[in-house]
Amino acid sequence: MTDGCWAATRPDSTVLMLAVSSGPELDDGLTILVRHEPDYVLVTVAGEVDFASAAGLRERLFTLASAGRPLVADLDRVSFIDAAGLGVLAGAARQAAAHGASLRVVCARRQVRRLFSLTRLDQAVPLAASLAEAREAAGADAEAV
């Protein structure tokens, strides 16, 4: 395990599991807060995003993405995310694009950014190092529509 990030693979397959965790000191539950801003919708996610909690996040993000407004998902309070969570973000980005909107992710944590890079999800979902950076980009997305 390196930097709190690990991947298990077999020679005959692709990545079986990807996860990042910052340690046991953080809450294990998942909290999703939604705030409607003038130019975008801010979704703040805190806790663990894993197979067990991904369905709830998927439902919330897909519903918001269907509205056609730019989304900003703040993952800075996520203590753990696995392949199921990354899949939800990829699907939400596709859903947003299908409705003329976008999904941007705020992610300052090196471990989470590394997962986005390893899976190449950073090519489909733009990452921002800060909420201010994501707000500016989401505002530009809203003006372009």
Side-chain angles (χ1 to χ4, degrees), residues 34-42 61 63-72 92 95-97 99-104 138 141-142 145:
V34 177
R35 190 171 72 211
H36 294 268
E37 298 289 340
D39 292 332
Y40 63 94
V41 177
L42 175 62
L61 284 179
T63 298
L64 292 168
S66 296
R69 294 189 68 215
L71 296 176
V72 173
Q95 182 80 355
H99 288 88
S102 63
L103 170 68
R104 295 184 178 276
D141 289 348
V145 173

Side-chain angles (χ1 to χ4, degrees), residues 7-114:
T9 61
R10 293 190 322 221
D12 61 331
S13 69
T14 58
V15 173
L16 297 174
M17 172 69 89
L18 289 173
V20 64
S21 177
S22 64
E25 71 279 355
L26 296 175
D27 185 21
D28 291 347
L30 181 67
T31 303
I32 303 166
L33 301 173
V34 177
R35 190 171 72 211
H36 294 268
E37 298 289 340
D39 292 332
Y40 63 94
V41 177
L42 175 62
V43 181
T44 303
V45 183
E48 295 189 357
V49 183
D50 58 15
F51 182 77
S53 63
L57 180 61
R58 178 182 297 112
E59 182 179 329
R60 182 65 64 90
L61 284 179
F62 278 44
T63 298
L64 292 168
S66 296
R69 294 189 68 215
L71 296 176
V72 173
D74 184 349
L75 302 185
D76 277 346
R77 293 185 180 104
V78 168
S79 60
F80 176 90
I81 189 166
D82 67 7
L86 295 175
V88 166
L89 293 169
R94 285 190 301 271
Q95 182 80 355
H99 288 88
S102 63
L103 170 68
R104 295 184 178 276
V105 171
V106 175
C107 177
R109 302 178 95 181
R110 184 172 40 96
Q111 297 96 335
V112 176
R113 291 178 80 83
R114 185 161 185 245

